[in-house]
Amino acid sequence: MKKNVWVGLLVSLSLVSFILTACGSSEKSAGTSADKKEFQYAMSGLYKPFNFKENGKLEGFDVEIGKALAEKMGMKAVPVTNPWETIIQGLQAKKYDAIIGSMTVTDERKKSVNFTNTYYQSGAQIFVAENKQDIKSAADLKGKTIGVVKASNYKELALQNTDKDKVVEYDSDITALMDLPTGRLDAVITDQMVGFPIIKEGAIKIKDVGEPLSQDDQAIAVRKEDKELLDKLNKALEEIIKDGTYEKISNKWFNRNILGE
């Protein structure tokens, strides 16, 4: 009797073990086939309308371009944020795969990273309070207080047009632009694509003055050694431009194609 009980118990345990193992193998197999390799791309998250957080979620032009590129590459898009002043260091430390964060191509940056083909063009623009009349061009900036984003090319442009102690650095372009109507700043130098949507919305009473101070190519940065990823991104970028995906995303955020071609 005892022997029969033990035999029955062993059979039952073996059956349970087999079922659990089979289920586990099935789930693992299903998960492996469904999972895609992640494409992690970084941005500051403070550069509306290109990349910003809304209700804790990353939104914006850069975010959507990254998702479209990831889809073309057969990868899962994972946008992340990193402070702008250390964003290249984070890339080199392999915290993420690329930077899709409205990064201007410069000779200095080319020493540290490789860039894809241009994914949009813009330029540095002077913005002032809507009612300000004494600044109409770069020639009127001497001695004026100018706001710029930390570790950006705009700081260099500001230093070319006013005194060093008159350049005020900010974590965000939006914060700087908000200080124009208050009189804390005389001018802000930032990207056209940041200021123009704000003017259109009327959220901050500002205006653009003068000609653009520069014409900039914005591209995606990858590590020097990641040549395969660079090629894949360029191919994916070409595809989303050709099939209209790029223009659709651009029109959503700017009511025009900002590729510059």
Side-chain angles (χ1 to χ4, degrees):
M1 180 69 178
K2 288 183 179 179
K3 183 178 179 180
N4 289 338
V5 171
W6 277 109
V7 169
L9 182 60
L10 286 171
V11 170
S12 298
L13 288 172
S14 298
L15 184 60
V16 170
S17 177
F18 172 78
I19 292 170
L20 289 174
T21 302
C23 289
S25 299
S26 175
E27 288 173 1
K28 184 178 180 182
S29 175
T32 302
S33 62
D35 288 345
K36 292 182 179 180
K37 184 178 179 182
E38 289 187 347
F39 172 56
Q40 295 188 333
Y41 54 103
M43 58 204 66
S44 70
L46 299 170
Y47 199 52
K48 193 174 183 178
F50 289 94
N51 55 83
F52 60 100
K53 285 191 175 181
E54 184 113 338
N55 298 321
K57 183 181 177 184
L58 272 171
E59 304 279 1
F61 175 81
D62 289 332
V63 177
E64 293 193 20
I65 288 293
K67 288 179 180 178
L69 294 174
E71 185 176 345
K72 291 294 185 185
M73 295 189 294
M75 302 173 77
K76 179 184 177 182
V78 183
V80 299
T81 60
N82 192 89
W84 186 254
E85 53 266 34
T86 59
I87 202 162
I88 288 180
Q89 292 94 314
L91 177 66
Q92 292 171 329
K94 299 187 177 181
K95 290 174 63 178
Y96 28 81
D97 304 306
I99 299 168
I100 308 182
S102 296
M103 179 169 278
T104 303
V105 178
T106 66
D107 290 337
E108 187 63 29
R109 285 173 176 159
K110 283 180 180 179
K111 295 175 184 177
S112 304
V113 299
N114 280 340
F115 284 104
T116 63
N117 297 331
T118 301
Y119 81 104
Y120 79 87
Q121 286 185 332
S122 187
Q125 185 70 47
I126 303 167
F127 293 93
V128 299
E130 193 175 60
N131 60 357
K132 196 166 185 63
Q133 301 298 325
D134 60 336
I135 299 178
K136 299 185 183 300
S137 70
D140 301 319
L141 291 176
K142 189 64 179 174
K144 298 293 195 297
T145 303
I146 304 175
V148 295
V149 171
K150 292 177 181 176
S152 69
N153 296 330
Y154 309 125
K155 180 179 179 180
E156 295 304 315
L157 290 170
L159 290 171
Q160 291 171 20
N161 288 284
T162 195
D163 304 318
K164 186 176 180 179
D165 63 347
K166 295 289 186 179
V167 177
V168 183
E169 295 184 76
Y170 286 77
D171 290 325
S172 162
D173 305 78
I174 308 302
T175 307
L177 290 168
M178 289 175 67
D179 273 351
L180 288 174
T182 67
R184 294 191 186 99
L185 297 174
D186 295 307
V188 168
I189 298 176
T190 189
D191 196 279
Q192 292 173 321
M193 301 303 171
V194 174
F196 289 168
I198 289 173
I199 293 172
K200 182 181 177 182
E201 292 168 6
I204 307 172
K205 301 301 180 183
I206 59 172
K207 63 183 178 182
D208 58 296
V209 295
E211 296 295 321
L213 301 179
S214 66
Q215 188 66 47
D216 302 319
D217 290 327
Q218 315 294 328
I220 301 164
V222 300
R223 288 182 288 276
K224 285 283 189 181
E225 66 270 22
D226 286 348
K227 298 191 183 301
E228 183 180 351
L229 178 59
L230 182 69
D231 291 340
K232 285 182 178 179
L233 283 167
N234 276 328
K235 183 174 183 293
L237 179 59
E238 184 179 353
E239 288 175 359
I240 67 169
I241 291 169
K242 283 184 177 179
D243 69 14
T245 302
Y246 180 96
E247 188 166 11
K248 183 179 179 181
I249 295 170
S250 185
N251 283 334
K252 173 182 175 179
W253 292 100
F254 304 103
N255 288 327
R256 70 182 187 111
N257 191 323
I258 63 171
L259 186 59
E261 293 183 347

